[in-house]
Amino acid sequence: MKSRTETEMMNLILSTAREDERVRAVILNGSRANPNVRKDIFQDYDIVYIVREMESFTCDHSWVDVFGERVMMQMPEEKVLPPADGHGRFPYLMQFMDGNRIDLTLIPAEEMDELLEPDSLSVLLLDKDGLIGYLPPASDRDYLIKKPDAQEFADLCNEFWWITMNISKGLWRRELTYAMFMYEQINRNVLITMLEWKVGITDDFTKSAGKAGKYLPDFLHAEVWEQFESTYSDADFNHIWESLFTMCSLFRKTAVEVAEKLGFEYPFEDDKRVTAFLKHVRILPADASSIY
């Protein structure tokens, strides 16, 4: 099946809105509204329809069939796991057989002032009643790396070193899921934030690192990125330990640099004591009756 072009998809999205009197306005959000992003074949169409008679849409979902044959669809507001937001919006997340994807959110016009949250990546495509008003030219200004203050820096360092002790506990207990949750879901994000601050300093906080730091390879020196890659591990506990110490090294090096550039205090004593604790726990016998 040949993929529909961007022109074909946008024409379909807009013609559907124009022909349906219930749809009063259309907004494009996300990467397709970002003039600075690299286009690729997996970009979604993040669309908002401002509608009247909201229930007439949500009581019979067959109306979205007009957008094409789907691989599958997700409707978060009708899910139990994870639970629905219940905030009044209704998203349809649709992956089509031709490779295109539309994330279409309905917002009732009468609740637009409370529910519509236009950001800097918003382009007004259609406004039948002048509901939306002026939107400034789309840019990624709302997504630029934010300069931290001293408290934010201290909190991030505190979080990193605290969580490493949780990781070490999970590794000693050989609790793979717990240890890797702490490692990947918490400390990975802490490290990414610190690396983003490093990038922000270099570029005077005028760049976006993208969702989950996906553009970091574009900004970091090759050796830094290679060290970051080395923080990923398989499920072997010894390998996780090695990756953990690599993560600690990279975090320390980056945080010290950020602290020096921004005039903050790096918690060297926390770092020293926690690192010693990690080294001790790593060699602690599996049948130990006490930590020390």
Side-chain angles (χ1 to χ4, degrees):
M1 177 181 292
K2 181 176 173 57
S3 295
R4 289 166 290 179
T5 66
E6 181 178 34
T7 298
E8 290 173 320
M9 292 299 295
M10 293 303 296
N11 285 342
L12 175 59
I13 290 165
L14 285 171
S15 64
T16 300
R18 288 192 184 101
E19 293 166 10
D20 192 328
E21 280 300 305
R22 298 171 300 173
V23 181
R24 306 313 300 168
V26 182
I27 296 172
L28 172 70
N29 291 324
S31 66
R32 288 186 180 273
N34 189 348
N36 297 321
V37 78
R38 292 188 299 267
K39 290 191 174 185
D40 66 40
I41 59 176
F42 281 99
Q43 282 181 290
D44 305 337
Y45 294 86
D46 294 303
I47 301 293
V48 174
Y49 276 5
I50 307 297
V51 303
R52 301 198 188 280
E53 303 173 31
M54 178 81 154
E55 189 175 344
S56 67
F57 288 96
T58 58
C59 71
D60 180 2
H61 302 301
S62 64
W63 72 273
V64 299
D65 293 346
V66 68
F67 296 113
E69 185 180 0
R70 298 184 296 269
V71 176
M72 67 175 294
M73 177 167 67
Q74 186 175 90
M75 292 180 288
E77 286 304 299
E78 293 200 342
K79 292 169 69 74
V80 176
L81 290 175
D85 287 336
H87 291 158
R89 305 178 188 88
F90 197 97
Y92 293 88
L93 313 180
M94 299 173 281
Q95 176 67 55
F96 299 102
M97 293 293 292
D98 71 344
N100 280 295
R101 172 172 161 168
I102 299 176
D103 289 354
L104 173 61
T105 300
L106 303 182
I107 292 180
E110 58 272 19
E111 299 179 46
M112 186 185 72
D113 290 343
E114 294 79 30
L115 298 179
L116 182 62
E117 299 175 350
D119 62 15
S120 64
L121 292 179
S122 297
V123 176
L124 183 60
L125 302 179
L126 179 67
D127 193 351
K128 297 176 181 178
D129 309 309
L131 294 172
I132 309 300
Y134 172 76
L135 291 180
S139 77
D140 57 4
R141 60 187 173 275
D142 287 352
Y143 298 88
L144 302 182
I145 299 167
K146 303 296 191 300
K147 184 177 181 179
D149 60 27
Q151 185 64 57
E152 290 169 330
F153 176 81
D155 288 349
L156 199 73
C157 291
N158 179 272
E159 180 76 352
F160 181 85
W161 291 110
W162 181 264
I163 294 299
T164 58
M165 292 189 291
N166 286 347
I167 297 168
S168 71
K169 174 173 64 178
L171 293 176
W172 182 82
R173 289 172 171 169
R174 303 187 72 79
E175 295 171 342
L176 181 65
T177 57
Y178 172 84
M180 293 309 289
F181 174 84
M182 291 288 169
Y183 188 97
E184 289 295 345
Q185 300 299 316
I186 302 180
N187 261 14
R188 171 75 60 197
N189 294 324
V190 172
L191 175 60
I192 287 173
T193 298
M194 189 62 73
L195 288 168
E196 288 177 344
W197 289 346
K198 171 185 170 70
V199 170
I201 291 168
T202 302
D203 292 292
D204 198 26
F205 296 93
T206 60
K207 303 292 184 183
S208 167
K211 188 174 183 179
K214 63 182 179 180
Y215 300 138
L216 282 175
D218 296 340
F219 303 117
L220 298 174
H221 291 300
E223 62 270 20
V224 176
W225 183 250
E226 288 172 6
Q227 188 175 11
F228 180 79
E229 290 178 326
S230 297
T231 64
Y232 287 92
S233 177
D234 56 22
D236 182 279
F237 284 97
N238 283 326
H239 295 169
I240 300 170
W241 272 113
E242 291 300 321
S243 296
L244 176 60
F245 282 112
T246 299
M247 178 179 278
C248 290
S249 176
L250 180 57
F251 182 86
R252 177 185 303 113
K253 177 181 176 181
T254 307
V256 168
E257 180 182 342
V258 170
E260 289 174 349
K261 296 290 186 180
L262 297 180
F264 299 155
E265 293 292 327
Y266 178 72
F268 285 102
E269 285 303 311
D270 285 352
D271 179 335
K272 179 181 177 180
R273 288 190 292 265
V274 172
T275 300
F277 181 83
L278 298 179
K279 291 178 179 179
H280 176 75
V281 172
R282 185 177 187 181
I283 62 173
L284 194 63
D287 60 352
S289 58
S290 66
I291 295 176
Y292 290 103

